[in-house]
Amino acid sequence: MNKSASKVIPNDVASATTYAEQIVSGAIPSNKYLKLSCEKFLREKQDTSYDLSDDVRLSDKSSSPSPYRYEEARVQFVLDWFKVCPHTKGELAGKPLILSPWQIFIIANIYGFIHKETGYRKHKNILIEVGRKNGKSTLLSGLLSFELLTGGEGSLLVSAATMSAQAKLVWEDTKRMTSKLPSKLKEQYRSTVSEISVPSKFSKYIYVGRNSDRLDGLNPNMVVVDEAAAIEDRNLIEVLTSATGARPNYLFIYITTSSFSKDTAYYEQYEYAKRILDGAVEDPEFFSAIYELDEDDNPLEDETCWIKANPNLNVSLGEEYLRSQVNQAVEIPAKRNNVLVKHFNRWESSTSTWLPTDLWKQSVVPEINKTGELFVGVDLGQTSDLTALTFIYRHNEDGEIHYDVDFKCFIPERTFDALPRSLKPIYNRGVQEKILYITEGSATDLEYVKEILLEEVSDKNLNAICWDSWNAQMLLQQLEKEGLPLLTIGQGYGYLSAPTKSLEIAIRNNQVKHTNSSFIEWQFNNCEIYSDNNENIKISKKSNTHSKKVDSLVALVMGFSQAEQEPEEQHNYSYFL
């Protein structure tokens, strides 16, 4: 692993130039667009540098004079501010901040280039994309506390995110930082539950979310959009963008890891930044630092490319931690896309194939042992769709837990007859395997489903029947009258993520036993995993198509939400009807 970019250099303005030169030369591995950004910095710095003591251009290039100048003294002033700012978390809490070269490079671009006539900053719109745990919050907290104190009288600073709770994270870091400053600086700041201010400057810093009642009438000097790639509400971005229009020296910062959706205002800015660097668009007020992999990089096999998306590797982000994340991504396919997105800024889909077929086949047994504690998962389809019952028998043999699983599926006759020709063979095998039942008519015969369910659970040690209550109220009421232990399982990430992950581990550990069914194996192979920004996962369910049915596995997850738990812990994911 190349660790040259992780070397700590004191907060000195020259580090920005050294860093840019190392990126351009290839001494520090980087992607195409960071190299272009560094080339642009070096070129523009050469053309616009001034010695403020003599007010003389240091470059001898006099043709096409730039309207901007680069003032190292201004950059150093900001860097000196960071020297008195303390770390607020972890082992370094209370110690002065020593910025990494990449952070100094960004600060130099924000503060170094000034319009000669107005004195306003050149780069007003900033886009920073960098992997998780690379010191984003530390950089932002230092900049926000600096701007709050020095940004001019009446300044308004705003941090924004989809949810106010996310926006508040940076605000809270800034609050902690200002509370740990040297006493003469600390006494300048005041904090309430929702606002940090500098009364002598009449300046304040607030946080807002998508539905915040504080969005109206904003006129901010500085806006920080945290985790901008995850914000799908364009209105929030548009309101904040238009709000800065009245400020001639505003600062608007997008800072984020990548995400799963490209249908966002941020992604449009991300592509716009690349067009600027490619020379297709000219916008002197826009600066970007995009830390991502090149297209042909494979971080799951090649560690030398990690630093391209993680400039703080071996500083705030430990190499061993990142290696553990990569190892999990290799071994657990459901984690793969999330690791690629959040640690390497790959724009991946939120879905991925769940598990290899071999893992499912390894646990085939000739016959199911239908003793032990019984948990049932029920996935009731649309009236004309597939309905699935999954029966999970939990066995504890000398402290070793395993699960014997049986499956029953139901489909209306008219739906079965209308199946595409390509799917008929697999459904016919399900009938032959006595797993798929065809009911008369054009809609699922719920009375027959109830009959089979009651037959299977009679004289069994039944613990719970787990349902998605949507579209099943009548059947639920009938079963409730039978005195059965019914549980409703929510279908959101919060309910399904933990049991899905636990089921995956159990399958990998050969704890989920089942007979050899090509119909169930087909559904297993159809499973895709959806993930959110918090690494929660669930199996995809496409109820309106027969091409990729997964109903039996969805029912398995619902039943497993209770089967995996000790008796005293059951029902954590659910509520009784």
Side-chain angles (χ1 to χ4, degrees):
M1 172 68 67
N2 188 323
K3 302 182 181 180
S4 60
S6 302
K7 183 179 179 181
V8 175
I9 301 175
N11 296 7
D12 182 80
V13 66
S15 298
T17 302
T18 301
Y19 176 76
E21 290 171 343
Q22 290 177 322
I23 291 291
V24 171
S25 70
I28 300 175
S30 67
N31 65 75
K32 168 188 173 181
Y33 287 99
L34 187 64
K35 286 181 180 178
L36 289 174
S37 186
C38 287
E39 288 173 358
K40 183 172 180 285
F41 168 75
L42 293 172
R43 183 174 61 252
E44 293 182 351
K45 176 176 175 288
Q46 176 68 18
D47 290 346
T48 61
S49 292
Y50 271 72
D51 181 340
L52 293 182
S53 62
D54 297 321
D55 195 25
V56 174
R57 182 192 294 272
L58 298 181
S59 168
D60 57 6
K61 296 181 179 180
S62 57
S63 62
S64 302
S66 170
Y68 305 100
R69 67 182 178 218
Y70 180 75
E71 298 182 3
E72 287 195 338
R74 291 175 64 95
V75 179
Q76 189 60 59
F77 180 65
V78 182
L79 299 179
D80 289 342
W81 167 260
F82 275 85
K83 291 179 181 179
V84 300
C85 291
H87 283 278
T88 60
K89 297 177 183 177
E91 297 179 355
L92 295 176
K95 296 182 179 180
L97 283 174
I98 298 178
L99 295 170
S100 295
W102 72 277
Q103 294 169 318
I104 295 174
F105 170 71
I106 289 172
I107 290 172
N109 276 279
I110 295 175
Y111 291 95
F113 294 99
I114 304 298
H115 196 281
K116 295 175 185 176
E117 294 183 0
T118 65
Y120 296 149
R121 61 171 54 90
K122 174 186 179 182
H123 294 136
K124 296 180 173 67
N125 300 300
I126 312 298
L127 185 146
I128 304 167
E129 187 169 308
V130 65
R132 183 176 283 179
K133 295 185 179 295
N134 274 270
K136 296 193 301 290
S137 296
T138 299
L139 177 62
L140 289 177
S141 297
L143 293 178
L144 286 160
S145 59
F146 174 79
E147 286 289 335
L148 193 57
L149 185 63
T150 67
E153 200 167 278
S155 293
L156 173 63
L157 283 61
V158 177
S159 62
T162 297
M163 305 298 293
S164 293
Q166 175 67 38
K168 191 177 181 181
L169 295 177
V170 174
W171 183 91
E172 288 180 331
D173 283 343
T174 306
K175 181 179 179 180
R176 278 192 294 269
M177 182 174 286
T178 57
S179 71
K180 302 295 183 181
L181 289 169
S183 57
K184 287 187 177 180
L185 292 172
K186 179 173 65 175
E187 65 187 19
Q188 300 290 323
Y189 296 86
R190 298 288 185 273
S191 299
T192 66
V193 294
S194 60
E195 181 179 299
I196 307 171
S197 64
V198 175
S200 64
K201 292 293 188 74
F202 303 101
S203 58
K204 64 179 180 180
Y205 168 32
I206 64 172
Y207 59 90
V208 299
R210 177 183 57 195
N211 298 320
S212 176
D213 57 6
R214 298 196 286 183
L215 283 173
D216 294 335
L218 290 178
N219 185 20
N221 298 68
M222 179 177 180
V223 173
V224 171
V225 184
D226 190 23
E227 293 303 336
I231 299 177
E232 297 184 358
D233 181 9
R234 291 173 178 271
N235 181 65
L236 175 62
I237 302 298
E238 289 170 1
V239 167
L240 293 171
T241 301
S242 62
T244 58
R247 300 281 192 170
N249 199 30
Y250 71 86
L251 180 60
F252 198 112
I253 300 177
Y254 294 97
I255 188 163
T256 189
T257 59
S258 67
S259 190
F260 300 107
S261 174
K262 296 180 180 181
D263 186 21
T264 62
Y266 169 77
Y267 191 78
E268 292 172 358
Q269 293 292 308
Y270 164 82
E271 289 195 313
Y272 179 66
K274 288 189 169 182
R275 290 200 299 273
I276 293 171
L277 292 171
D278 281 329
V281 178
E282 185 174 345
D283 186 344
E285 295 186 348
F286 201 108
F287 165 76
S288 63
I290 300 172
Y291 290 89
E292 64 180 10
L293 305 184
D294 289 305
E295 288 186 8
D296 57 351
D297 287 327
N298 183 355
L300 303 186
E301 296 181 359
D302 180 12
E303 295 187 0
T304 62
C305 70
W306 291 359
I307 201 168
K308 293 183 180 182
N310 297 282
N312 241 32
L313 191 63
N314 290 315
V315 182
S316 62
L317 175 64
E319 186 175 293
E320 287 304 315
Y321 168 81
L322 188 55
R323 185 174 291 117
S324 73
Q325 295 298 299
V326 168
N327 289 340
Q328 289 183 52
V330 171
E331 296 297 327
I332 306 175
K335 288 184 67 71
R336 180 180 181 274
N337 282 8
N338 203 78
V339 169
L340 291 175
V341 169
K342 295 305 175 185
H343 287 295
F344 299 107
N345 285 330
R346 278 275 167 82
W347 289 85
E348 301 283 338
S349 168
S350 61
T351 64
S352 60
T353 302
W354 189 24
L355 291 168
T357 308
D358 290 347
L359 289 177
W360 184 249
K361 288 182 173 181
Q362 73 179 357
S363 299
V364 169
V365 293
E367 187 177 358
I368 293 298
N369 179 0
K370 296 186 177 182
T371 63
E373 300 171 280
L374 174 59
F375 303 83
V376 183
V378 181
D379 186 46
L380 188 66
Q382 303 274 359
T383 56
S384 61
D385 204 1
L386 197 68
T387 287
L389 306 180
T390 300
F391 303 88
I392 306 171
Y393 298 91
R394 184 176 187 267
H395 300 280
N396 188 338
E397 299 176 357
D398 299 324
E400 296 292 327
I401 304 294
H402 75 269
Y403 310 89
D404 282 50
V405 183
D406 197 14
F407 300 92
K408 304 289 181 186
C409 296
F410 306 84
I411 189 171
E413 184 178 20
R414 184 173 297 180
T415 303
F416 180 83
D417 290 342
L419 286 170
R421 186 176 179 180
S422 61
L423 292 178
K424 271 292 179 65
I426 188 64
Y427 277 76
N428 281 327
R429 285 197 291 273
V431 174
Q432 295 165 6
E433 293 163 353
K434 297 183 179 180
I435 285 177
L436 178 62
Y437 296 82
I438 303 172
T439 64
E440 294 183 359
S442 60
T444 301
D445 186 346
L446 295 183
E447 189 63 33
Y448 184 62
V449 172
K450 184 183 77 170
E451 180 183 324
I452 295 295
L453 176 58
L454 291 175
E455 180 181 317
E456 288 290 327
V457 302
S458 64
D459 300 324
K460 300 290 197 316
N461 184 11
L462 178 63
N463 277 251
I465 299 177
C466 304
W467 292 77
D468 168 14
S469 62
W470 186 81
N471 206 29
Q473 289 302 320
M474 184 177 296
L475 184 56
L476 284 172
Q477 291 170 7
Q478 293 175 5
L479 292 173
E480 190 177 23
K481 290 179 181 178
E482 300 283 345
L484 299 178
L486 303 177
L487 292 167
T488 298
I489 305 296
Q491 298 301 291
Y493 287 108
Y495 292 95
L496 297 180
S497 181
T500 302
K501 292 177 179 178
S502 297
L503 176 60
E504 181 174 315
I505 293 171
I507 291 172
R508 288 181 175 278
N509 290 337
N510 197 20
Q511 294 175 278
V512 181
K513 309 296 183 181
H514 52 87
T515 57
N516 188 18
S517 164
S518 57
F519 186 63
I520 298 301
E521 183 180 314
W522 170 70
Q523 292 186 57
F524 181 85
N525 289 335
N526 288 337
C527 285
E528 291 182 336
I529 288 294
Y530 278 52
S531 59
D532 67 9
N533 287 315
N534 296 313
E535 298 190 17
N536 294 310
I537 65 171
K538 65 177 181 177
I539 292 173
S540 66
K541 176 185 177 184
K542 302 177 181 178
S543 59
N544 294 324
T545 175
H546 292 289
S547 62
K548 285 193 173 183
K549 303 307 297 182
V550 296
D551 302 67
S552 295
L553 278 302
V554 171
L556 176 58
V557 170
M558 288 195 285
F560 200 76
S561 70
Q562 299 304 305
E564 67 156 327
Q565 300 184 64
E566 296 298 327
E568 64 273 11
E569 296 176 340
Q570 287 164 9
H571 319 313
N572 282 356
Y573 301 116
S574 319
Y575 58 89
F576 280 100
L577 289 171

Short mmCIF file of all heavy atoms in Angstrom, two decimals, residues 23-60:
data_model
loop_
_atom_site.label_atom_id
_atom_site.label_comp_id
_atom_site.label_asym_id
_atom_site.label_seq_id
_atom_site.Cartn_x
_atom_site.Cartn_y
_atom_site.Cartn_z
N ILE A 23 0.27 14.83 -6.93
CA ILE A 23 -0.86 14.23 -7.63
C ILE A 23 -0.60 14.23 -9.15
O ILE A 23 -0.77 13.21 -9.83
CB ILE A 23 -2.17 14.98 -7.33
CG1 ILE A 23 -2.60 14.78 -5.87
CG2 ILE A 23 -3.28 14.57 -8.29
CD1 ILE A 23 -3.05 13.37 -5.56
N VAL A 24 -0.18 15.37 -9.67
CA VAL A 24 0.05 15.49 -11.11
C VAL A 24 1.17 14.56 -11.57
O VAL A 24 1.09 13.94 -12.64
CB VAL A 24 0.37 16.95 -11.48
CG1 VAL A 24 0.83 17.06 -12.93
CG2 VAL A 24 -0.85 17.84 -11.23
N SER A 25 2.22 14.43 -10.78
CA SER A 25 3.36 13.59 -11.16
C SER A 25 3.07 12.10 -11.01
O SER A 25 3.79 11.26 -11.56
CB SER A 25 4.58 13.95 -10.31
OG SER A 25 4.39 13.54 -8.96
N GLY A 26 2.04 11.76 -10.25
CA GLY A 26 1.73 10.36 -10.00
C GLY A 26 2.38 9.82 -8.75
O GLY A 26 2.24 8.63 -8.44
N ALA A 27 3.09 10.66 -8.02
CA ALA A 27 3.71 10.21 -6.77
C ALA A 27 2.64 9.75 -5.78
O ALA A 27 2.87 8.84 -4.97
CB ALA A 27 4.56 11.33 -6.17
N ILE A 28 1.48 10.40 -5.82
CA ILE A 28 0.32 9.98 -5.04
C ILE A 28 -0.72 9.47 -6.04
O ILE A 28 -1.12 10.22 -6.94
CB ILE A 28 -0.28 11.14 -4.21
CG1 ILE A 28 0.75 11.68 -3.22
CG2 ILE A 28 -1.53 10.67 -3.48
CD1 ILE A 28 0.27 12.91 -2.47
N PRO A 29 -1.15 8.23 -5.93
CA PRO A 29 -2.16 7.72 -6.87
C PRO A 29 -3.45 8.53 -6.80
O PRO A 29 -3.92 8.89 -5.72
CB PRO A 29 -2.40 6.28 -6.38
CG PRO A 29 -1.15 5.92 -5.63
CD PRO A 29 -0.69 7.19 -4.99
N SER A 30 -4.01 8.83 -7.95
CA SER A 30 -5.26 9.60 -7.98
C SER A 30 -5.99 9.30 -9.27
O SER A 30 -5.46 8.67 -10.19
CB SER A 30 -4.98 11.10 -7.88
OG SER A 30 -4.31 11.57 -9.03
N ASN A 31 -7.22 9.80 -9.36
CA ASN A 31 -8.02 9.60 -10.55
C ASN A 31 -7.82 10.75 -11.54
O ASN A 31 -7.21 11.77 -11.22
CB ASN A 31 -9.50 9.45 -10.19
CG ASN A 31 -10.06 10.72 -9.58
OD1 ASN A 31 -10.33 11.71 -10.27
ND2 ASN A 31 -10.22 10.73 -8.27
N LYS A 32 -8.39 10.58 -12.71
CA LYS A 32 -8.25 11.56 -13.78
C LYS A 32 -8.69 12.95 -13.36
O LYS A 32 -8.00 13.95 -13.63
CB LYS A 32 -9.07 11.10 -14.98
CG LYS A 32 -9.25 12.15 -16.07
CD LYS A 32 -10.23 11.69 -17.15
CE LYS A 32 -10.52 12.80 -18.13
NZ LYS A 32 -11.49 12.39 -19.18
N TYR A 33 -9.83 13.04 -12.68
CA TYR A 33 -10.41 14.36 -12.43
C TYR A 33 -9.72 15.09 -11.28
O TYR A 33 -9.69 16.32 -11.26
CB TYR A 33 -11.92 14.24 -12.20
CG TYR A 33 -12.61 13.94 -13.50
CD1 TYR A 33 -12.98 12.63 -13.83
CD2 TYR A 33 -12.83 14.93 -14.45
CE1 TYR A 33 -13.59 12.34 -15.05
CE2 TYR A 33 -13.43 14.66 -15.67
CZ TYR A 33 -13.79 13.36 -15.96
OH TYR A 33 -14.38 13.09 -17.17
N LEU A 34 -9.17 14.36 -10.32
CA LEU A 34 -8.38 15.05 -9.30
C LEU A 34 -7.09 15.58 -9.92
O LEU A 34 -6.64 16.68 -9.58
CB LEU A 34 -8.08 14.13 -8.12
CG LEU A 34 -7.41 14.84 -6.95
CD1 LEU A 34 -8.35 15.89 -6.35
CD2 LEU A 34 -6.95 13.86 -5.90
N LYS A 35 -6.49 14.83 -10.83
CA LYS A 35 -5.30 15.31 -11.52
C LYS A 35 -5.62 16.59 -12.30
O LYS A 35 -4.84 17.56 -12.26
CB LYS A 35 -4.77 14.25 -12.48
CG LYS A 35 -4.07 13.09 -11.78
CD LYS A 35 -3.55 12.08 -12.80
CE LYS A 35 -2.85 10.92 -12.10
NZ LYS A 35 -2.38 9.89 -13.06
N LEU A 36 -6.74 16.62 -12.97
CA LEU A 36 -7.13 17.82 -13.72
C LEU A 36 -7.34 19.00 -12.78
O LEU A 36 -6.98 20.14 -13.09
CB LEU A 36 -8.39 17.55 -14.53
CG LEU A 36 -8.24 16.62 -15.74
CD1 LEU A 36 -9.60 16.31 -16.36
CD2 LEU A 36 -7.31 17.24 -16.78
N SER A 37 -7.93 18.74 -11.62
CA SER A 37 -8.16 19.81 -10.65
C SER A 37 -6.83 20.34 -10.12
O SER A 37 -6.66 21.56 -9.95
CB SER A 37 -9.01 19.28 -9.49
OG SER A 37 -9.36 20.31 -8.60
N CYS A 38 -5.87 19.45 -9.89
CA CYS A 38 -4.55 19.88 -9.40
C CYS A 38 -3.78 20.63 -10.50
O CYS A 38 -3.09 21.62 -10.22
CB CYS A 38 -3.76 18.67 -8.92
SG CYS A 38 -4.36 17.99 -7.35
N GLU A 39 -3.88 20.15 -11.73
CA GLU A 39 -3.24 20.87 -12.83
C GLU A 39 -3.81 22.28 -12.96
O GLU A 39 -3.06 23.25 -13.17
CB GLU A 39 -3.44 20.09 -14.13
CG GLU A 39 -2.63 18.81 -14.23
CD GLU A 39 -2.98 18.00 -15.46
OE1 GLU A 39 -3.90 18.43 -16.21
OE2 GLU A 39 -2.37 16.94 -15.68
N LYS A 40 -5.11 22.39 -12.84
CA LYS A 40 -5.77 23.69 -12.92
C LYS A 40 -5.29 24.62 -11.80
O LYS A 40 -5.01 25.80 -12.02
CB LYS A 40 -7.29 23.49 -12.84
CG LYS A 40 -8.13 24.74 -13.00
CD LYS A 40 -9.61 24.34 -13.09
CE LYS A 40 -10.51 25.57 -13.25
NZ LYS A 40 -10.65 26.32 -11.99
N PHE A 41 -5.18 24.09 -10.59
CA PHE A 41 -4.70 24.88 -9.46
C PHE A 41 -3.29 25.40 -9.70
O PHE A 41 -3.00 26.58 -9.52
CB PHE A 41 -4.74 24.04 -8.19
CG PHE A 41 -4.00 24.64 -7.02
CD1 PHE A 41 -4.55 25.70 -6.31
CD2 PHE A 41 -2.76 24.15 -6.64
CE1 PHE A 41 -3.87 26.26 -5.24
CE2 PHE A 41 -2.07 24.69 -5.56
CZ PHE A 41 -2.64 25.76 -4.86
N LEU A 42 -2.40 24.50 -10.13
CA LEU A 42 -1.01 24.90 -10.35
C LEU A 42 -0.90 25.93 -11.47
O LEU A 42 -0.12 26.90 -11.36
CB LEU A 42 -0.16 23.67 -10.67
CG LEU A 42 0.01 22.65 -9.53
CD1 LEU A 42 0.70 21.39 -10.05
CD2 LEU A 42 0.79 23.26 -8.37
N ARG A 43 -1.67 25.73 -12.51
CA ARG A 43 -1.64 26.67 -13.63
C ARG A 43 -2.16 28.05 -13.22
O ARG A 43 -1.53 29.07 -13.51
CB ARG A 43 -2.47 26.09 -14.77
CG ARG A 43 -2.48 26.94 -16.04
CD ARG A 43 -3.20 26.23 -17.16
NE ARG A 43 -4.60 25.95 -16.85
CZ ARG A 43 -5.09 24.75 -16.60
NH1 ARG A 43 -4.30 23.69 -16.58
NH2 ARG A 43 -6.38 24.59 -16.35
N GLU A 44 -3.29 28.07 -12.55
CA GLU A 44 -3.88 29.35 -12.17
C GLU A 44 -3.09 30.03 -11.06
O GLU A 44 -2.99 31.25 -11.02
CB GLU A 44 -5.34 29.13 -11.74
CG GLU A 44 -6.23 28.69 -12.89
CD GLU A 44 -7.68 28.52 -12.49
OE1 GLU A 44 -7.97 28.59 -11.27
OE2 GLU A 44 -8.53 28.34 -13.39
N LYS A 45 -2.51 29.25 -10.19
CA LYS A 45 -1.66 29.83 -9.14
C LYS A 45 -0.44 30.49 -9.75
O LYS A 45 -0.03 31.59 -9.36
CB LYS A 45 -1.24 28.73 -8.15
CG LYS A 45 -0.27 29.19 -7.06
CD LYS A 45 -0.02 28.04 -6.10
CE LYS A 45 1.04 28.43 -5.07
NZ LYS A 45 2.38 28.50 -5.64
N GLN A 46 0.16 29.84 -10.74
CA GLN A 46 1.32 30.41 -11.41
C GLN A 46 0.98 31.71 -12.11
O GLN A 46 1.76 32.68 -12.11
CB GLN A 46 1.86 29.39 -12.43
CG GLN A 46 3.02 29.88 -13.27
CD GLN A 46 4.30 30.11 -12.47
OE1 GLN A 46 4.43 29.59 -11.35
NE2 GLN A 46 5.22 30.88 -13.02
N ASP A 47 -0.21 31.78 -12.69
CA ASP A 47 -0.62 32.96 -13.45
C ASP A 47 -1.08 34.12 -12.57
O ASP A 47 -1.16 35.25 -13.05
CB ASP A 47 -1.77 32.60 -14.41
CG ASP A 47 -1.30 31.71 -15.54
OD1 ASP A 47 -0.07 31.59 -15.72
OD2 ASP A 47 -2.16 31.13 -16.23
N THR A 48 -1.39 33.86 -11.31
CA THR A 48 -2.04 34.89 -10.51
C THR A 48 -1.37 35.17 -9.17
O THR A 48 -1.90 35.94 -8.36
CB THR A 48 -3.51 34.50 -10.23
OG1 THR A 48 -3.54 33.27 -9.48
CG2 THR A 48 -4.28 34.31 -11.52
N SER A 49 -0.22 34.56 -8.88
CA SER A 49 0.39 34.72 -7.56
C SER A 49 0.91 36.14 -7.35
O SER A 49 1.48 36.76 -8.26
CB SER A 49 1.54 33.72 -7.38
OG SER A 49 1.05 32.40 -7.33
N TYR A 50 0.73 36.62 -6.15
CA TYR A 50 1.20 37.95 -5.78
C TYR A 50 1.98 37.90 -4.49
O TYR A 50 1.68 37.13 -3.58
CB TYR A 50 0.01 38.91 -5.57
CG TYR A 50 -0.43 39.62 -6.83
CD1 TYR A 50 -1.10 38.94 -7.84
CD2 TYR A 50 -0.16 40.97 -7.01
CE1 TYR A 50 -1.50 39.58 -9.00
CE2 TYR A 50 -0.56 41.63 -8.15
CZ TYR A 50 -1.23 40.94 -9.15
OH TYR A 50 -1.63 41.58 -10.29
N ASP A 51 3.00 38.74 -4.43
CA ASP A 51 3.69 39.03 -3.18
C ASP A 51 3.02 40.26 -2.61
O ASP A 51 3.20 41.38 -3.11
CB ASP A 51 5.18 39.28 -3.44
CG ASP A 51 5.94 39.55 -2.15
OD1 ASP A 51 5.29 39.92 -1.15
OD2 ASP A 51 7.17 39.40 -2.16
N LEU A 52 2.21 40.09 -1.57
CA LEU A 52 1.39 41.20 -1.07
C LEU A 52 2.24 42.33 -0.49
O LEU A 52 1.81 43.48 -0.44
CB LEU A 52 0.41 40.68 -0.02
CG LEU A 52 -0.68 39.73 -0.55
CD1 LEU A 52 -1.61 39.35 0.58
CD2 LEU A 52 -1.46 40.37 -1.67
N SER A 53 3.46 42.02 -0.06
CA SER A 53 4.29 43.09 0.52
C SER A 53 4.68 44.12 -0.52
O SER A 53 4.83 45.30 -0.24
CB SER A 53 5.55 42.48 1.16
OG SER A 53 6.32 41.81 0.17
N ASP A 54 4.85 43.67 -1.79
CA ASP A 54 5.23 44.59 -2.85
C ASP A 54 4.12 44.76 -3.89
O ASP A 54 4.24 45.56 -4.81
CB ASP A 54 6.50 44.09 -3.58
CG ASP A 54 7.69 44.04 -2.65
OD1 ASP A 54 7.82 44.97 -1.82
OD2 ASP A 54 8.45 43.07 -2.74
N ASP A 55 3.04 43.97 -3.74
CA ASP A 55 1.94 43.99 -4.70
C ASP A 55 2.46 43.77 -6.11
O ASP A 55 2.13 44.47 -7.06
CB ASP A 55 1.16 45.29 -4.63
CG ASP A 55 -0.19 45.16 -5.35
OD1 ASP A 55 -0.69 44.03 -5.45
OD2 ASP A 55 -0.72 46.20 -5.78
N VAL A 56 3.34 42.77 -6.26
CA VAL A 56 3.96 42.48 -7.54
C VAL A 56 3.62 41.04 -7.93
O VAL A 56 3.71 40.12 -7.11
CB VAL A 56 5.50 42.65 -7.46
CG1 VAL A 56 6.16 42.19 -8.76
CG2 VAL A 56 5.86 44.09 -7.16
N ARG A 57 3.25 40.88 -9.20
CA ARG A 57 2.97 39.53 -9.69
C ARG A 57 4.26 38.72 -9.67
O ARG A 57 5.31 39.15 -10.15
CB ARG A 57 2.43 39.62 -11.12
CG ARG A 57 2.07 38.25 -11.71
CD ARG A 57 1.83 38.34 -13.20
NE ARG A 57 0.68 39.15 -13.51
CZ ARG A 57 -0.56 38.68 -13.59
NH1 ARG A 57 -0.78 37.40 -13.33
NH2 ARG A 57 -1.56 39.48 -13.91
N LEU A 58 4.19 37.51 -9.09
CA LEU A 58 5.37 36.66 -9.02
C LEU A 58 5.61 35.95 -10.34
O LEU A 58 6.73 35.60 -10.67
CB LEU A 58 5.21 35.63 -7.90
CG LEU A 58 5.08 36.23 -6.48
CD1 LEU A 58 4.95 35.12 -5.47
CD2 LEU A 58 6.29 37.12 -6.17
N SER A 59 4.52 35.71 -11.10
CA SER A 59 4.69 35.10 -12.41
C SER A 59 5.15 36.15 -13.41
O SER A 59 4.73 37.30 -13.37
CB SER A 59 3.35 34.50 -12.87
OG SER A 59 3.44 34.15 -14.24
N ASP A 60 6.01 35.76 -14.32
CA ASP A 60 6.45 36.72 -15.33
C ASP A 60 5.59 36.64 -16.58
O ASP A 60 5.91 37.23 -17.61
CB ASP A 60 7.93 36.47 -15.69
CG ASP A 60 8.17 35.04 -16.19
OD1 ASP A 60 7.18 34.30 -16.36
OD2 ASP A 60 9.34 34.71 -16.40
#
